[in-house]
Amino acid sequence: MNVSDVICFDILVSAMKAENQSFGTDFLLVGLFQYGWTNSLLFVVIATIFTVALTGNIMLIHLIRLDTRLHTPMYFLLSQLSIIDLMYITTTVPKMAVNFLSQSKTITFMGCEIQAYVFLALGGTEALLLGFMSYDRYVAICYPLHYPILMSKKICCLMVACAWASGSINAFIHTMYVFQLPFCRSRLINHFFCEVPALLSLVCRDTSHYEYTVLLSGLTILLLPFLAILASYAHVLIVVFQMSSGKGQAKAVSTCSFHLIVASLFYATTLATYTKPHSLRSPTRDKVVAVFYTIITPLLNPFIYSLRNKEVTGAMRRLLR
């Protein structure tokens, strides 16, 4: 018996003990990796990333709130993105980090349900908000004279409300359905947080029809905004190349490239998780992919959208002075 088998056996024993102690109502999270010697190192790495992401998003929200020059539709949407990322990374990472150092990796049924709902709601909201942000840039560059009308305060607030409402309703429907399904004796979730695709493997019922619903939701909330972002930036680049000088073109390409890389990272990884059939899933691969949209994207967003922005860096300098 190798080390991996021994660790898996210990996890199963812990699961059985947890079930006996909690009358079978708790779940047990396997975690990111099953190798005990890496737990302390992973805790330090994850805690550092979490602190940096938290600091970056809080600072960006604080800057936008304090500096009146940043009170524009673009920065209002950006502040909403930072709020979402702040909540997004806080939903999963603290529990995962604690589990690295804890012998008990259990999460209550209610705790798991709340985590799954909040995560889905924030993920859906962010997916839609990124699409609205690309529309804002499209209007600002391609139709600058109509920008005050097309991106008025009322329309901007309506976009944000639509994103939050759509993400929350979608999450509520999926969470309510999944958690009323019958779970098997095993409550061992092969993941580092309660995610719907990982929970479906514990259900004692054929979920193939429900997976079509998940696929439809994924295509609507994830694929459509992503296609809108690609179309918006393509149009922006066309307009920039027709109007700007060589220096302006290079700056536009650089800015759009970084935004597209971060957006693609978020949409590609979430689509890979929520549109893949259950039969083609690999728990280890799914966990690695989930790291990108749960940890890496919230870490990168505040820096990609702020450090390469002269108005934000200018606001930072003014605040420090």
Side-chain angles (χ1 to χ4, degrees):
M1 182 179 290
N2 56 35
V3 176
S4 179
D5 293 334
V6 171
I7 293 173
C8 289
F9 177 74
D10 290 341
I11 290 174
L12 288 170
V13 170
S14 300
M16 292 174 66
K17 289 180 180 179
E19 285 185 355
N20 290 335
Q21 292 172 358
S22 59
F23 302 99
T25 59
D26 288 358
F27 290 101
L28 189 82
L29 296 167
V30 171
L32 188 57
F33 296 110
Q34 299 176 8
Y35 302 102
W37 62 271
T38 62
N39 282 351
S40 298
L41 176 62
L42 283 171
F43 173 81
V44 173
V45 172
I46 295 298
T48 303
I49 291 174
F50 176 71
T51 304
V52 173
L54 217 63
T55 304
N57 282 294
I58 289 174
M59 285 184 64
L60 189 55
I61 295 168
H62 192 56
L63 273 177
I64 293 171
R65 186 179 66 86
L66 289 179
D67 198 307
T68 54
R69 301 177 190 179
L70 301 182
H71 292 179
T72 62
M74 181 180 81
Y75 292 108
F76 174 67
L77 295 176
L78 185 55
S79 68
Q80 290 295 309
L81 180 66
S82 289
I83 291 170
I84 292 169
D85 283 337
L86 199 63
M87 298 170 66
Y88 200 52
I89 198 169
T90 307
T91 303
T92 57
V93 172
K95 177 63 178 175
M96 178 177 67
V98 169
N99 284 349
F100 283 136
L101 303 180
S102 174
Q103 293 296 323
S104 174
K105 303 179 187 299
T106 57
I107 183 170
T108 63
F109 186 91
M110 181 61 70
C112 188
E113 189 172 11
I114 292 171
Q115 187 183 57
Y117 167 74
V118 173
F119 180 81
L120 275 178
L122 293 172
T125 304
E126 177 162 344
L128 295 170
L129 187 66
L130 287 171
F132 290 138
M133 289 174 68
S134 70
Y135 170 77
D136 171 76
R137 291 299 82 207
Y138 165 73
V139 173
I141 295 172
C142 300
Y143 302 98
L145 297 179
H146 299 285
Y147 184 78
I149 299 172
L150 295 176
M151 284 301 296
S152 64
K153 185 177 180 180
K154 182 179 180 180
I155 292 176
C156 200
C157 291
L158 190 62
M159 285 179 172
V160 171
C162 178
W164 278 100
S166 300
S168 300
I169 292 170
N170 176 69
F172 180 80
I173 292 170
H174 285 289
T175 305
M176 289 297 102
Y177 180 80
V178 169
F179 281 88
Q180 58 84 35
L181 293 173
F183 291 100
C184 299
R185 174 66 178 169
S186 173
R187 293 295 181 99
L188 189 66
I189 303 174
N190 196 355
H191 213 307
F192 57 87
F193 72 101
C194 292
E195 191 172 30
V196 167
L199 288 165
L200 290 179
S201 61
L202 306 182
V203 174
C204 306
R205 185 188 295 176
D206 179 29
T207 58
S208 56
H209 292 294
Y210 172 66
E211 287 181 35
Y212 287 115
T213 307
V214 176
L215 174 62
L216 181 62
S217 295
L219 293 176
T220 304
I221 292 183
L222 297 171
L223 186 59
L224 289 181
F226 186 44
L227 293 176
I229 290 172
L230 294 177
S232 297
Y233 279 120
H235 203 103
V236 165
L237 289 175
I238 290 171
V239 171
V240 168
F241 272 90
Q242 289 175 346
M243 297 173 59
S244 299
S245 61
K247 187 177 179 180
Q249 292 171 2
K251 182 181 177 182
V253 170
S254 175
T255 303
C256 290
S257 297
F258 277 99
H259 289 184
L260 280 174
I261 288 170
V262 176
S264 298
L265 185 66
F266 175 77
Y267 286 107
T269 51
T270 49
L271 282 167
T273 298
Y274 287 92
T275 60
K276 186 186 298 180
H278 183 69
S279 57
L280 300 178
R281 291 188 177 282
S282 166
T284 303
R285 187 169 58 245
D286 288 347
K287 286 188 285 187
V288 173
V289 169
V291 168
F292 287 95
Y293 57 82
T294 58
I295 301 173
I296 304 300
T297 302
L299 171 67
L300 293 178
N301 276 340
F303 300 102
I304 293 296
Y305 286 101
S306 63
L307 290 181
R308 299 182 59 82
N309 189 311
K310 289 183 179 180
E311 291 177 324
V312 175
T313 53
M316 175 71 78
R317 284 194 293 269
R318 287 192 295 272
L319 181 66
L320 291 175
R321 284 200 297 265

